């Protein structure tokens, strides 16, 4: 729903093609991997982590596919006929999508080996597993540090409208609608389920959105502003949503 909501927001109200895809990406794409999963774990323990992990199987690949489509569609649609074949090629050749598919393929191969009684995991090579684990843990925080170092306050003046609209949609409007619908339609949901949903809807925009925007012809400055401002203000809005759910008895 967030993608559709964002699409019908950017088409009539924003004119610059390189900004449209970036704004749309900000509306629907949360930082589920870096902030969402730990948040769900802190709210509901192992049950919350399990719910978030299940959600991530669908949402993370979907986020990346929709993000590529958003950026390709509006940049290509700048006075030209949209080349859907090129968009499809961009999705299939994107490093994030290739990484997800390669990981899925490795899991399938490993499952077949286990059926044959051959058990092997990367964790068995302890030094290599530890090194890769540490590199993975520092990747997104390091990206935030780099973005912070490149942050320019002067850019706010020319992008104020876009920054305000995208940030408010990402950390207030989308979580309010998404969590509100979930609360009304699924009253049987408890803390574990809502911890995953809070992580999914209320997290700031993904750090990788800035890199992806730069690589695909989007407005890199605007994308970087979104990462910084949604990350900063989400500390307050996530607290607010959690406090409300705690008050109504969802989180004990």
């Amino acid at each position: 729903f967030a993608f559709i909501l964002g699409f019908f927001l950017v088409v009539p109200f924003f004119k610059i093609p390189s900004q449209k895809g970036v704004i749309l990406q900000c509306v629907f794409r949360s930082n589920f991997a870096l902030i969402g999963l730990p948040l769900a774990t802190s709210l509901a323990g192992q049950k919350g982590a399990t719910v978030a992990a299940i959600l991530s199987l669908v949402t993370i690949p979907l986020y990346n596919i929709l993000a590529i489509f958003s950026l390709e569609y509006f940049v290509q649609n700048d006075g030209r006929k949209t080349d859907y074949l090129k968009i499809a090629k961009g999705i299939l050749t994107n490093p994030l999508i290739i990484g997800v598919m390669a990981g899925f393929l490795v899991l399938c191969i490993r499952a077949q080996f286990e059926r044959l009684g051959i058990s092997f995991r990367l964790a068995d090579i302890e030094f290599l597993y530890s090194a890769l684990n540490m590199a993975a843990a520092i990747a997104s925080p390091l990206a935030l540090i780099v973005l912070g170092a490149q942050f320019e306050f002067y850019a706010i003046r020319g992008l104020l409208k876009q920054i305000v609209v995208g940030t408010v949609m990402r950390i207030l409007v989308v979580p309010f609608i998404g969590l509100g619908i979930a609360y009304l339609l699924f009253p049987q949901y408890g803390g574990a389920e809502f911890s995953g949903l809070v992580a999914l809807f209320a997290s700031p925009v993904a750090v990788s959105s800035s890199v992806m925007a730069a690589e695909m012809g989007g407005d890199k400055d605007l994308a970087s502003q979104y990462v910084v401002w949604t990350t900063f203000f989400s500390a307050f809005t996530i607290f607010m949503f959690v406090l409300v759910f705690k008050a109504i008895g969802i989180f004990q």
Side-chain angles (χ1 to χ4, degrees):
F1 84 91
F3 177 83
I4 297 172
L5 178 66
F7 188 88
F8 286 105
L9 170 71
V10 300
V11 169
F13 295 111
F14 297 96
K15 305 301 181 185
I16 302 176
S18 63
Q19 292 182 351
K20 289 184 177 182
V22 174
I23 298 168
L24 175 56
Q25 185 177 213
C26 180
V27 172
F28 74 83
R29 189 181 186 187
S30 66
N31 199 346
F32 195 54
L34 174 63
I35 295 178
L37 292 173
L39 175 62
T41 304
S42 67
L43 290 174
Q46 188 56 46
K47 290 183 178 179
T50 301
V51 171
I54 293 171
L55 286 173
S56 69
L57 294 175
V58 177
T59 56
I60 292 177
L62 184 61
Y63 276 162
N64 287 301
I65 291 171
L66 291 177
I68 296 166
F69 176 84
S70 303
L71 295 166
E72 287 278 5
Y73 178 83
F74 287 112
V75 170
Q76 286 195 41
N77 211 27
D78 184 17
R80 302 185 298 273
K81 185 178 179 180
T82 303
D83 187 347
Y84 290 101
L85 184 62
K86 186 176 180 181
I87 292 176
K89 182 181 177 182
I91 292 172
L92 293 174
T93 58
N94 183 270
L96 290 171
I97 300 300
I98 293 173
V100 170
M101 297 308 298
F104 181 73
L105 179 61
V106 169
L107 287 176
C108 292
I109 293 173
R110 189 176 73 186
Q112 295 304 313
F113 275 116
E114 289 178 350
R115 288 181 60 186
L116 297 173
I118 303 172
S119 178
F120 173 78
R121 294 174 179 270
L122 185 60
D124 296 335
I125 309 176
E126 188 174 345
F127 77 93
L128 180 59
Y129 181 77
S130 298
L132 292 175
N133 231 6
M134 288 188 288
I138 199 175
S140 292
L142 182 60
L144 277 173
I145 293 172
V146 172
L147 281 175
Q150 296 176 341
F151 186 77
E152 299 286 353
F153 279 100
Y154 76 85
I156 298 174
R157 183 178 302 174
L159 299 171
L160 184 60
K161 174 186 173 183
Q162 294 88 332
I163 292 171
V164 171
V165 171
T167 301
V168 169
M169 291 295 294
R170 170 68 261 142
I171 64 174
L172 278 178
V173 177
V174 168
F176 179 81
I177 295 174
L179 295 172
I181 292 174
Y183 181 73
L184 293 174
L185 295 183
F186 305 101
Q188 74 275 18
Y189 279 6
E193 290 81 8
F194 271 98
S195 68
L197 293 175
V198 169
L200 178 65
F201 290 119
S203 299
V205 69
V207 177
S208 59
S209 64
S210 176
V211 178
M212 187 177 288
E215 290 180 350
M216 300 182 65
D219 190 323
K220 180 185 176 182
D221 290 336
L222 180 59
S224 299
Q225 293 282 337
Y226 280 146
V227 172
V228 172
W229 291 115
T230 59
T231 301
F232 177 78
F233 285 111
S234 66
F236 304 98
T237 56
I238 290 173
F239 174 78
M240 179 188 70
F241 285 114
V242 171
L243 190 64
V244 169
F245 280 121
K246 192 173 181 64
I248 60 179
I250 297 294
F251 298 129
Q252 301 299 328

